[in-house]
Amino acid sequence: MLLDPSLRIRAASAAYASVTLRERDELCGQLLFDAFPDNPGDPQASGTTNLAASLETAMRGGRPHNMWIQRYDIRDPDSPDKFLPKVWSPSNAPLVDHGELIGVVHRVKEVAGFEHLVSVLARALETGRSWSSAELLHTLAAVTDAEKERHSQRERALAIENEQLQAAIDTRDLIGQAKGMLMERFNIDSVGAFNLLVRLSQDTNTRVEQIARKVVEAQRRPQSS
């Protein structure tokens, strides 16, 4: 993402917009911390403070600055009052033209999952970075919550897939029953029975499975004497 010296967003890549769950056109023109405020429901939120400090370091020093992993929750696009826990590995690089600062390139990589977090923490510890217990627990909580949400999403997707599969099986069985009844009644083969269902569907602007259900229900209905 490209920021001008006032930290107003001037451009955002598709990848940045995707990982932060925002639209590129929506981001452009906003001040960075208006677009990405701290989570008001998190008293330990430090994202804006630490990011501002990193940006200041990069702009004043004239060289890239890599932040430590940072918990920085983002708004849920489906519920603007809700924030989603996220952990990032951000970096900021100044853009200088003939000695004049013209902007900053802000990049982020999402730290997703415990294995990724442990790997990043291990590299940080190798460089002498220390973590307070509160800071570490705060970050771990975000990863835990994100893992739970991903698990819930997978469960919901699987449930929908199973429902769709069962519906497809039920529809196939229903059409099979209707074809069998039509074959017996009109002395036609399977292809002819299916073509008859299709023609009835087209003539009545009704889905084939609905026509099949009517055929089956009509056949099962007790005949009046």
Side-chain angles (χ1 to χ4, degrees):
M1 182 167 66
L2 177 62
L3 306 170
D4 67 18
S6 68
L7 302 186
R8 190 174 296 278
I9 300 170
R10 293 305 180 187
S13 68
Y16 189 97
S18 175
V19 77
T20 57
L21 308 179
R22 303 294 291 273
E23 297 293 335
R24 295 171 70 181
D25 293 342
E26 172 196 1
L27 289 174
C28 291
Q30 289 196 67
L31 290 170
L32 175 62
F33 297 121
D34 287 343
F36 298 104
D38 276 329
N39 180 355
D42 181 5
Q44 292 181 263
S46 60
T48 57
T49 299
N50 291 341
L51 178 54
S54 174
L55 289 164
E56 181 71 13
T57 298
M59 290 189 292
R60 285 188 177 276
R63 62 179 60 185
H65 183 261
N66 297 320
M67 296 176 62
W68 302 111
I69 58 172
Q70 173 69 51
R71 173 169 178 170
Y72 199 140
D73 300 350
I74 60 174
R75 282 196 179 103
D76 183 343
D78 297 325
S79 180
D81 293 333
K82 178 183 176 183
F83 278 69
L84 301 174
K86 295 284 185 179
V87 177
W88 311 92
S89 178
S91 65
N92 301 294
L95 288 177
V96 179
D97 183 29
H98 295 91
E100 179 183 358
L101 178 72
I102 60 174
V104 183
V105 176
H106 170 61
R107 295 185 176 92
V108 294
K109 293 181 181 179
E110 184 178 2
V111 179
F114 282 107
E115 290 186 6
H116 192 185
L117 176 61
V118 169
S119 174
V120 173
L121 285 173
R123 290 198 300 271
L125 290 172
E126 288 175 357
T127 64
R129 174 71 162 95
S130 61
W131 299 81
S132 69
S133 298
E135 186 179 17
L136 184 57
L137 289 173
H138 188 232
T139 302
L140 286 172
V143 174
T144 300
D145 290 345
E147 285 280 356
K148 288 179 179 177
E149 178 59 26
R150 279 191 287 270
H151 181 69
S152 296
Q153 289 176 351
R154 287 194 294 268
E155 285 189 332
R156 290 194 293 269
L158 181 59
I160 292 172
E161 183 179 343
N162 288 339
E163 289 176 2
Q164 292 173 339
L165 178 60
Q166 186 60 53
I169 292 172
D170 293 344
T171 297
R172 184 191 63 185
D173 291 345
L174 183 66
I175 292 175
Q177 291 180 53
K179 284 168 55 180
M181 293 174 179
L182 293 174
M183 289 166 63
E184 181 179 356
R185 182 162 186 177
F186 296 105
N187 193 27
I188 54 179
D189 61 14
S190 175
V191 174
F194 183 72
N195 288 339
L196 179 56
L197 288 172
V198 171
R199 187 165 68 249
L200 288 170
S201 170
Q202 294 171 341
D203 290 345
T204 60
N205 195 28
T206 306
R207 295 175 63 179
V208 170
E209 56 265 35
Q210 292 176 327
I211 295 293
R213 181 172 287 105
K214 290 180 179 180
V215 170
V216 172
E217 290 174 351
Q219 186 71 16
R220 290 174 177 171
R221 192 177 301 128
Q223 301 295 321
S224 57
S225 55

